[in-house]
Amino acid sequence: MSALVLRTVAETTAWVDSLRRSGRRLALVPTMGYLHEGHQSLIREGRRRADVVAASIFVNPTQFGPNEDLSRYPRDFEGDLAKCTSAGAEAVFAPAPEEMYPPGFQTHVEVGKVSQGLCGARRPGHFQGVATVVTKLLGLFKPQVALFGEKDYQQLQVIRALVRDLNLGVEIVGMPTVREPDGLALSSRNAYLSTEERRRALALSRGMAAAQALYERGTRDTASLVDAARRELAAVDLREDYVEVVDATSLTSLSSVTPGQPARILVAAFAGKTRLIDNQPIGG
Ligand code: AMP
């Protein structure tokens, strides 16, 4: 049987209330749709951690900048519904933008430091949009657990800060990035890539692997590690947005990688018009 489709806040509130009365544990998986195996891995893990999983499919306009891809973001609601159902979601919340942002809407959630560098610096307003919509979804569903991918690593840290700072009382689970066999991180935006861009896009994962290989040969200073990743991007003419090595929790820049201090390399680059991001742990 197909997952139940919830379109409005009122319907969702009624569904959540009945679930709570029955004492069942709820997991929430927020998405923007055009689902792939990465999203499905979150839903499956939700099933392991809760009795019931709800997924949301909402291309959130407030997290897109004026010159970004909101209007052409890929959509396939029927396909998404089938994928949610097969991964084990019981309900899919797919509201219209006016349902989430009705006239008179005037509250925004701004997370501090952790949202300011990296994608936050390149996409002004992006994390305010993310934090606001995630706060709304958590308020609406009141899940015991919510699952997010490490693919969007800064987003995951922003949400962890938000939930902690506002005492939202939900467990946040970060899940590993699901990749194609050749290393490309799955992303809805991969649908934009031409065959040739798809091949060049591999430089993101290859660049991070090169940085890690250099670390394993004894290099500790982040400038050299970042350079190793940059060379892979440059070799295939990918335009870098940023390459940084940061503390894995605070996301502050590191000048060197110290064994025992978890660090992460984060990369953003353009393949043609398509902006891709990826990240992985670095060090050991
Ligand atoms: P999106 O639909 O791109 O907003 O992503 C919805 C959720 O799926 C976010 O928590 C993402 O981090 C997660 N996600 C996206 N791509 C992947 C992936 N390749 N592996 C694991 N999780 C992912």
Side-chain angles (χ1 to χ4, degrees), residues 30-33 36 38-39 41-42 73 147-152 155 175-179 185-188:
T31 83
M32 298 206 301
H36 49 63
H39 300 109
S41 74
L42 306 185
Y73 197 83
L147 299 99
F148 296 87
E150 288 181 345
K151 159 74 171 38
D152 300 278
Q155 168 175 284
M175 292 292 291
T177 301
V178 177
R179 297 176 180 280
L186 296 190
S187 165
S188 308

Side-chain angles (χ1 to χ4, degrees), residues 258-276:
T258 320
Q261 181 188 12
R264 202 103 188 164
I265 181 165
L266 287 87
V267 180
F270 289 90
K273 287 200 179 74
T274 305
R275 185 175 179 277
L276 300 170

Side-chain angles (χ1 to χ4, degrees), residues 24-242:
R24 285 183 294 168
R25 234 176 107 77
L26 175 63
L28 178 68
V29 176
T31 83
M32 298 206 301
Y34 214 71
L35 303 183
H36 49 63
E37 183 53 42
H39 300 109
Q40 288 184 295
S41 74
L42 306 185
I43 297 173
R44 285 195 207 97
E45 181 65 18
R47 281 300 301 265
R48 286 189 278 275
R49 290 171 178 263
D51 304 309
V52 174
V53 180
S56 62
I57 297 180
F58 180 58
V59 182
N60 175 34
T62 66
Q63 70 188 69
F64 287 78
N67 299 315
E68 295 184 352
D69 57 344
L70 172 62
S71 61
R72 65 184 190 114
Y73 197 83
R75 292 165 200 253
D76 174 17
F77 185 71
E78 290 309 316
D80 287 348
L81 188 58
K83 285 175 189 165
C84 286
T85 305
S86 75
E90 194 157 306
V92 173
F93 178 53
E98 313 78 66
E99 186 69 16
M100 292 297 271
Y101 302 109
F105 187 90
Q106 55 190 289
T107 304
H108 300 278
V109 180
E110 183 83 48
V111 175
K113 207 154 180 265
V114 74
S115 74
Q116 285 161 7
L118 303 159
C119 287
R122 274 79 183 178
R123 303 183 67 189
H126 171 66
F127 285 120
Q128 188 193 79
V130 169
T132 302
V133 80
V134 169
T135 303
K136 282 175 67 72
L137 292 168
L138 294 175
L140 182 57
F141 280 89
K142 303 177 193 70
Q144 279 71 30
V145 50
L147 299 99
F148 296 87
E150 288 181 345
K151 159 74 171 38
D152 300 278
Y153 192 79
Q154 187 176 16
Q155 168 175 284
L156 175 61
Q157 301 310 317
V158 167
I159 291 164
R160 286 192 191 286
L162 158 74
V163 164
R164 188 191 61 228
D165 292 351
L166 299 184
N167 307 111
L168 297 185
V170 53
E171 181 191 356
I172 301 299
V173 174
M175 292 292 291
T177 301
V178 177
R179 297 176 180 280
E180 301 279 9
D182 62 7
L184 183 70
L186 296 190
S187 165
S188 308
R189 290 190 169 97
N190 291 350
Y192 298 144
L193 301 174
S194 66
T195 311
E196 194 257 334
E197 287 166 345
R198 163 74 181 73
R199 185 178 52 71
R200 287 159 58 220
L202 281 177
L204 276 82
S205 52
R206 207 161 50 225
M208 296 190 299
Q212 174 64 19
L214 197 60
Y215 174 89
E216 283 165 14
R217 291 197 299 274
T219 300
R220 295 289 177 267
D221 72 288
T222 54
S224 306
L225 299 172
V226 162
D227 269 350
R230 282 196 171 131
R231 275 195 294 277
E232 295 295 329
L233 300 181
V236 294
D237 270 335
L238 285 194
R239 182 161 62 84
E240 173 191 330
D241 201 21
Y242 62 75

